[in-house]
Amino acid sequence: MSSRSGAEVRDALFNGRPVSWGFNPKEKRVILTFPNVLGGETYVLCIAGYYTFVARPLERTFVPSVFSSDLLRRGACAIKQVFSRSTA
Amino acid sequence: MGRNLLQFDVTDLNVTVAEGVKFKWQGKEIDSGPLTIKLGAPGSAGVIDYDNGTVDVEYRSRISSPALEEIYDILEDMGEERGETAPFDVVIRSKGSIFGDDHSLRLAGKGEIADHRLFNPAETSLEILAPTH
């Protein structure tokens, strides 16, 4: 729904800010079948609008927002390497 | 080390099917008017797994339209139980992928229809297709 980069969107989520994603209103993405009492027809329809996610507070403290997943992975690898060396 | 997961709540769902549908009821063709899909019962939530690049989400949604509301009113006037004329609730369970470049989501899902006098779950279905790009 915005032109923000993936890192910016992820940072917003981890900091507890709401993030919304929109639907392309020209794309037929819904298949809806009505029951027989209402004719029993199946419709393929376009949808417009958006949905919004907000991270749960506990999750927001799980990974500090200043770290990207790559940094965390690299950090974990570095710690593992140091640990391996010290115990070898 | 724990997995790289983000649990979230769905705090808003605001969807419109502007074109609506034409359906039959008691021998008459009725134009539903714009269909709206919004959050219904509480508890819509999901999880993003950044390690696997996946998203799982459950939307507890409510579908309504001006024509459906009129039919519910008519049924209620005819003495139907209130529970049978309540709005049409659907739990949509979606799964999909997350793309790192712009954190876009590619979700597809199916709806589980709640018991309803008009929208018999055995005959009613709702499917959300993944976006083409």
Side-chain angles (χ1 to χ4, degrees), chain B residues 7-92:
Chain B
Q7 292 191 3
F8 59 83
D9 293 314
V10 181
T11 58
D12 200 2
L13 174 67
N14 194 341
V15 173
T16 304
V17 180
E19 60 199 297
V21 298
K22 286 188 170 61
F23 62 90
K24 286 182 181 157
W25 187 61
Q26 296 187 339
K28 294 178 187 169
E29 186 172 84
I30 295 173
D31 187 338
S32 71
L35 291 163
T36 58
I37 307 176
K38 292 181 179 289
L39 289 180
S44 293
V47 60
I48 298 174
D49 183 335
Y50 283 104
D51 289 336
N52 293 320
T54 59
V55 184
D56 284 82
V57 57
E58 181 174 298
Y59 302 93
R60 299 186 183 182
S61 62
R62 174 162 290 180
I63 299 179
S64 59
S65 85
L68 289 175
E69 296 303 324
E70 281 179 28
I71 292 175
Y72 299 147
D73 288 344
I74 291 167
L75 288 171
E76 199 162 344
D77 289 345
M78 289 164 64
E80 294 288 350
E81 293 291 327
R82 184 166 177 75
E84 294 175 334
T85 61
F88 168 26
D89 286 338
V90 184
V91 176
I92 303 169

Side-chain angles (χ1 to χ4, degrees), chain A residues 13-16 55-65, chain B residues 6:
Chain A
L13 281 169
F14 274 108
N15 279 289
R56 290 186 177 164
L58 184 63
E59 296 303 314
R60 300 207 297 262
T61 59
F62 179 61
V63 180
S65 64
Chain B
L6 177 81

